[in-house]
């Protein structure tokens, strides 16, 4: 059941009142004569080369000569897309079909259908020709009223279009081609246009890229779709919605889109299906090393007062033994291994146990590129393994089932499957197991579902795309809006740390400092908005990247703690015996504050987000029907009694809010 949305939140339906009648009634389609006027109006109106479609909040108009899209609303006319950047050619006549209003571009082999669906303008473009071609459209952000661009990079960003930093090369955004299936956590973007806004949803994200540019000092964004029969991307759909201009409106619209199609699962349902999933509520997440992996290490953590944790460990030849796993489960914790089905290496020379497979999985299951060579794997080690090869073999060879059974023989009740939900999909040219990216995604969903439903494991994956929400209980990574500079920083083994010592690898434990521009792009609260939580908070538990533990970035600790409490999402840690001794008390204090908030609201949708100050330093979220309200002050000055660097959380029924003022704020 969809919850009532608080007044400062937005949904597509709550954006602006639906215009009940259309001003333009001239028709050109011969078949319209047999359609009652009221039905014609509801389905759309044709005026020469203009097509009018009723949407929630007004009327959208598509110019078939250029694919320019405008809208008439109660607040005036707005441009939703400039003309296509790639000329589709001269359009043919508009015909009315059962699917909507349809026309074609004979010169380019493209055909277009525009229709109204659940208050949205939905435009679908299909390519009929054998040759690959591209279409750069919609072209967005050109309206003079555009004030902010929303991008679901990690948790989410809302960027003032004239912001100097984001228009500069320093931010490493403009000029980037962002694959929508992997670079964005949700297949959408949006704009605030004065007192209203627009959401762009792309369900055909595979084969589509989004390119932000700076034009005259303002951020614009253009999507480009590549039509290819071989890649399975001959169809392209964009759904336009008018919104109230809230920065989280595009995510609310996407949440509604998923729900309408039965593609939005709930954490409550996952807990009902597997009660162990309920242990995620109130839990922080930590990867264990050295003595922290032992039963005694687990008991030390519990003795600190930590009543909920997700504990993970690398498959490095020293997994948690049965006694340690039993201790973790006795403490009320979830526990599970890190694994990956994506990498294969020669067993004789492999440097990772997760890359070793039986028989001739390596090299016969390697993804093959168009040049006939295997696609190199992680850090150019070995190869990426084909999900299609595994799916074909699994009914008789059981490679994945046997692997999972071996990895959980110690009694582990959770599993972290790296990269499967992260969205880096492959086309495999191998003649024995060919697949396109769409098939790769289908295969990954199928095998993750087997882990969840068949093996009854509480499943997580890396930087989960929204398409995986139905099979995952948690993810590590979609909480982090990664800037490219992070990858460059991680290559500096002196400053960032490497994979030694084995009991506490410096890459995880060594404190590091981000370059100023990278820190600004990732953690400046003035730009952060909870798009992912607005869409999926009550579907899966989301955290930051697993290699960015809470103590890894000392200058950002305070900000990250406030963001976690504001978004009702767990912090993640890495622990060995020494860090448990030195900083276990801090973890315990933070978890003690977080646990009752997450237990109360972890299964509730995020129903409200707003900023309370012009500089966006004070922000507020609401969950469910007021089950939890959180106010965070990222600034230095007090606001309405809330000191800078502090957060107040009010559970329904509380007499007073619960306050946290974490140290080390950046």
């Amino acid at each position: 059941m969809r919850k009532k949305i608080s007044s400062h939140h937005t949904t597509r339906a709550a954006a602006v009142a639906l215009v009940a009648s259309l001003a333009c009634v001239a028709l050109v389609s011969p078949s319209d004569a047999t359609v009652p006027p009221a039905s014609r109006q509801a389905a759309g109106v044709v005026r020469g080369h203009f097509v009018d479609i009723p949407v929630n909040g007004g009327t959208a108009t598509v110019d078939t000569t250029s694919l320019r899209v405008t809208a008439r609303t109660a607040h005036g006319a707005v441009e939703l897309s400039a003309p296509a950047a790639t000329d589709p050619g001269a359009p043919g006549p508009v015909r009315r079909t059962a699917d909507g209003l349809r026309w074609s571009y004979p010169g380019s082999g493209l055909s277009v259908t525009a229709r109204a669906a659940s208050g949205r303008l939905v435009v679908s473009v299909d390519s009929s020709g054998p040759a690959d071609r591209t279409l750069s459209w919609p072209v967005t952000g050109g309206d003079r009223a555009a004030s902010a661009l929303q991008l679901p990079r990690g948790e989410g960003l809302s960027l003032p279009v004239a912001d100097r930093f984001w228009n500069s090369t320093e931010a490493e955004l403009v000029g980037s081609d962002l694959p929508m299936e992997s670079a964005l956590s949700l297949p959408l973007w949006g704009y605030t246009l004065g007192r209203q806004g627009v959401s762009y949803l792309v369900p055909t994200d595979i084969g589509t890229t989004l390119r932000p540019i700076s034009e005259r000092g303002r951020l614009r964004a253009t999507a480009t779709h590549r039509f290819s029969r071989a890649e399975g991307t001959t169809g392209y759909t964009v759904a336009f919605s008018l919104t109230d201009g809230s920065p989280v409106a595009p995510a609310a619209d996407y949440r509604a889109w998923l729900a309408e199609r039965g593609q939005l699962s709930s954490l409550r349902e996952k807990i009902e299906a597997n009660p162990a999933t309920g242990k995620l509520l109130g839990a922080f997440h930590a990867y264990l090393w050295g003595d922290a992996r032992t039963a005694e290490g687990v008991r030390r953590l519990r003795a600190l007062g930590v009543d909920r944790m997700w504990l993970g460990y690398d498959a490095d030849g020293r997994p948690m033994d049965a006694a340690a796993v039993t201790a973790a489960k006795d403490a009320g914790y979830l526990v599970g291994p890190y694994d990956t089905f994506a990498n294969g290496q020669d067993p004789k020379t492999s440097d990772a146990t997760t890359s070793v497979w039986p028989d001739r999985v390596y090299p016969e299951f390697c993804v093959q590129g168009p040049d006939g060579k295997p696609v190199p794997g992680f850090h150019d080690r070995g190869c990426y393994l084909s999900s299609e090869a595994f799916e074909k073999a699994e009914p008789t060879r059981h490679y994945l089932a046997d692997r999972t059974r071996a990895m959980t023989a110690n009694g582990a009740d959770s599993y972290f499957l790296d990269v499967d939900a992260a969205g880096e999909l492959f086309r495999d040219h191998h003649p024995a197991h060919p697949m396109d990216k769409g098939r790769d995604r289908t295969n990954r969903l199928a095998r993750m579902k087997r882990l969840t439903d068949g093996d009854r494991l509480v499943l997580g994956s890396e930087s989960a795309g929204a398409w995986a929400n139905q099979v995952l209980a948690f993810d590590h990574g979609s909480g982090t809006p990664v800037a490219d500079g992070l990858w460059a920083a991680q290559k500096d083994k002196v400053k960032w740390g490497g994979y030694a010592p084995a009991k506490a690898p410096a890459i995880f434990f060594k404190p590091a400092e981000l370059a100023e521009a990278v820190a600004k792009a990732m953690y400046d609260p003035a730009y952060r908005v909870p798009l992912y939580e607005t869409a999926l908070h009550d579907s899966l538990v989301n955290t930051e990247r697993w290699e960015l533990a809470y103590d890894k970035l000392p200058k950002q600790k305070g900000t990250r703690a406030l963001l976690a409490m504001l978004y009702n999402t767990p912090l993640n840690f890495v622990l060995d015996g020494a860090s448990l001794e030195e900083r276990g008390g801090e973890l315990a204090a933070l978890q003690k504050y977080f646990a009752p908030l997450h237990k109360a609201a972890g299964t509730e949708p995020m129903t409200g987000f707003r900023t309370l100050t012009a500089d966006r330093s004070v922000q507020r979220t609401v969950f469910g029907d007021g089950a939890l309200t959180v106010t965070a002050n990222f600034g230095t000055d007090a606001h309405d009694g809330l000191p800078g660097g502090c957060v107040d959380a009010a559970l329904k029924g509380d007499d007073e809010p619960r306050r946290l003022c974490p140290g080390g704020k950046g």
Side-chain angles (χ1 to χ4, degrees):
M1 178 180 295
R2 293 174 59 185
K3 299 282 186 180
K4 180 180 179 182
I5 304 298
S6 58
S7 61
H8 52 263
H9 194 65
T10 182
T11 63
R12 167 188 38 76
V16 229
L18 174 63
V19 174
S21 61
L22 303 175
C24 303
V25 296
L27 306 176
V28 300
S29 176
S31 62
D32 286 346
T34 61
V35 181
S39 298
R40 292 201 301 266
Q41 187 166 292
V45 173
V46 182
R47 300 180 290 111
H49 56 81
F50 294 103
V51 169
D52 293 337
I53 302 290
V55 296
N56 283 353
T59 304
T61 298
V62 182
D63 183 346
T64 65
T65 65
S66 65
L67 287 179
R68 182 175 186 250
V69 184
T70 56
R72 301 190 302 280
T73 77
H75 299 296
V78 291
E79 181 183 79
L80 308 186
S81 173
T86 49
D87 184 7
V94 179
R95 297 182 298 110
R96 193 179 300 277
T97 71
D99 296 327
L101 299 175
R102 187 174 180 86
W103 65 95
S104 63
Y105 299 96
S108 60
L110 299 177
S111 58
V112 179
T113 300
R115 60 189 175 92
S118 300
R120 304 178 184 89
L121 164 66
V122 180
V123 179
S124 297
V125 186
D126 295 287
S127 175
S128 59
D132 291 357
R133 55 176 47 84
T134 61
L135 176 66
S136 292
W137 175 88
V139 180
T140 66
D143 192 285
R144 286 181 295 179
S147 59
L149 164 65
Q150 288 87 43
L151 279 179
R153 191 159 80 171
E155 180 59 63
L157 301 169
S158 184
L159 310 176
V161 297
D163 188 274
R164 286 188 177 184
F165 173 71
W166 287 101
N167 278 273
S168 72
T169 57
E170 190 180 18
E172 299 181 308
L173 175 69
V174 295
S176 302
D177 289 312
L178 307 174
M180 294 199 72
E181 79 274 9
S182 57
L184 301 180
S185 57
L186 311 173
L188 59 86
W189 74 101
Y191 273 93
T192 299
L193 305 168
R195 297 169 60 190
Q196 57 196 326
V198 60
S199 164
Y200 305 89
L201 307 185
V202 183
T204 53
D205 55 341
I206 297 174
T208 307
T209 60
L210 186 69
R211 184 179 180 86
I213 64 167
S214 177
E215 185 174 280
R216 298 188 180 121
R218 292 170 62 83
L219 292 173
R220 302 191 64 176
T222 298
T224 297
H225 185 81
R226 181 170 180 257
F227 299 92
S228 170
R229 288 193 177 281
E231 298 282 356
T233 58
T234 57
Y236 176 41
T237 295
V238 181
F240 302 75
S241 293
L242 296 175
T243 74
D244 66 359
S246 161
V248 295
D253 184 36
Y254 180 57
R255 175 184 174 84
W257 174 279
L258 290 174
E260 290 159 10
R261 286 153 183 78
Q263 297 171 359
L264 180 67
S265 69
S266 76
L267 201 53
R268 280 197 180 97
E269 293 168 345
K270 294 166 185 174
I271 293 171
E272 289 175 4
N274 181 2
T277 305
K279 295 180 183 180
L280 286 171
L281 298 178
F284 280 174
H285 294 228
Y287 276 94
L288 306 182
W289 302 80
D291 293 343
R293 289 187 183 180
T294 65
E296 178 58 28
V298 172
R299 285 192 284 267
R300 285 169 58 197
L301 182 62
R302 185 64 186 90
L304 291 171
V306 178
D307 67 342
R308 291 285 176 95
M309 286 293 291
W310 179 90
L311 301 179
Y313 53 91
D314 257 13
D316 56 4
R318 298 180 299 278
M320 292 180 74
D321 60 22
V325 168
T326 298
K329 293 165 80 170
D330 288 346
Y333 303 163
L334 283 165
V335 60
Y338 163 96
D339 195 9
T340 177
F341 297 163
N343 194 243
Q345 297 183 41
D346 186 336
K348 296 178 182 177
T349 58
S350 175
D351 60 1
T353 57
T354 54
S355 297
V356 176
W357 296 87
D359 302 332
R360 288 186 56 78
V361 166
Y362 179 88
E364 290 180 0
F365 283 23
C366 289
V367 171
Q368 191 175 100
D371 58 0
K373 297 179 181 179
V375 175
F378 306 147
H379 300 296
D380 293 328
R381 295 147 53 238
C383 71
Y384 279 102
L385 296 176
S386 170
S387 65
E388 181 70 5
F390 274 124
E391 286 301 294
K392 286 187 172 184
E394 195 64 13
T396 56
R397 302 299 299 167
H398 316 306
Y399 292 121
L400 302 182
D402 290 348
R403 170 71 157 259
T404 304
R405 190 175 301 112
M407 295 283 276
T408 57
N410 59 0
D413 53 2
S414 185
Y415 214 76
F416 182 80
L417 188 61
D418 201 17
V419 309
D420 252 38
E424 186 181 9
L425 306 170
F426 293 95
R427 181 182 174 192
D428 189 355
H429 295 260
H430 198 295
H433 39 79
M435 70 176 180
D436 59 26
K437 290 183 178 181
R439 178 67 179 177
D440 192 12
R441 177 181 284 180
T442 298
N443 292 338
R444 294 177 188 221
L445 286 170
R447 68 194 191 187
M448 286 191 285
K449 187 173 177 61
R450 291 196 296 269
L451 291 172
T452 297
D453 295 352
D455 295 303
R456 295 182 60 77
L457 293 167
V458 181
L459 182 65
S461 190
E462 177 192 2
S463 300
W467 52 268
N469 83 84
Q470 293 179 277
V471 296
L472 295 180
F474 67 96
D475 97 280
H476 295 164
S478 286
T480 308
V482 173
D484 286 347
L486 176 66
W487 312 130
Q490 292 183 355
K491 291 179 181 179
D492 187 338
K493 301 306 181 188
V494 174
K495 293 182 178 179
W496 194 268
Y499 284 92
K503 290 187 176 181
I507 190 172
F508 304 117
F509 286 88
K510 179 183 173 68
E513 184 174 339
L514 294 172
E516 183 178 351
V518 177
K520 186 180 182 72
M522 291 175 59
Y523 291 113
D524 190 331
Y527 304 124
R528 293 284 299 263
V529 292
L531 295 177
Y532 199 88
E533 299 314 311
T534 296
L536 298 174
H537 181 266
D538 61 335
S539 180
L540 56 85
V541 175
N542 181 30
T543 76
E544 288 211 65
R545 291 187 60 81
W546 57 282
E547 83 274 27
L548 293 179
Y550 182 57
D551 294 310
K552 181 67 180 179
L553 305 172
K555 284 194 171 183
Q556 281 73 45
K557 284 181 67 173
T559 295
R560 294 171 76 191
L562 294 186
L563 284 168
M565 303 310 157
L566 181 67
Y567 296 167
N568 198 231
T569 56
L571 291 168
N572 61 349
F573 294 79
V574 290
L575 298 173
D576 66 345
S579 60
L580 187 58
E581 185 72 26
E582 295 167 5
R583 297 186 295 280
E586 181 184 21
L587 184 160
L590 289 167
Q591 193 269 338
K592 183 178 181 180
Y593 180 84
F594 174 76
L597 310 181
H598 198 233
K599 289 175 182 177
T603 57
E604 299 285 345
M606 179 183 280
T607 49
F609 171 78
R610 64 187 299 189
T611 56
L612 303 183
T613 57
D615 64 358
R616 299 179 56 82
S617 64
V618 184
Q619 303 179 16
R620 177 171 291 163
T621 53
V622 180
F623 298 86
D625 190 13
L628 173 66
T629 301
V630 185
T631 307
N633 186 347
F634 297 96
T636 55
D637 298 329
H639 175 82
D640 198 21
L642 178 63
C646 297
V647 59
D648 274 353
L651 290 169
K652 182 180 284 188
D654 277 357
D655 294 328
E656 296 289 336
R658 306 166 186 222
R659 180 163 294 176
L660 175 71
C661 299
K665 181 182 176 297

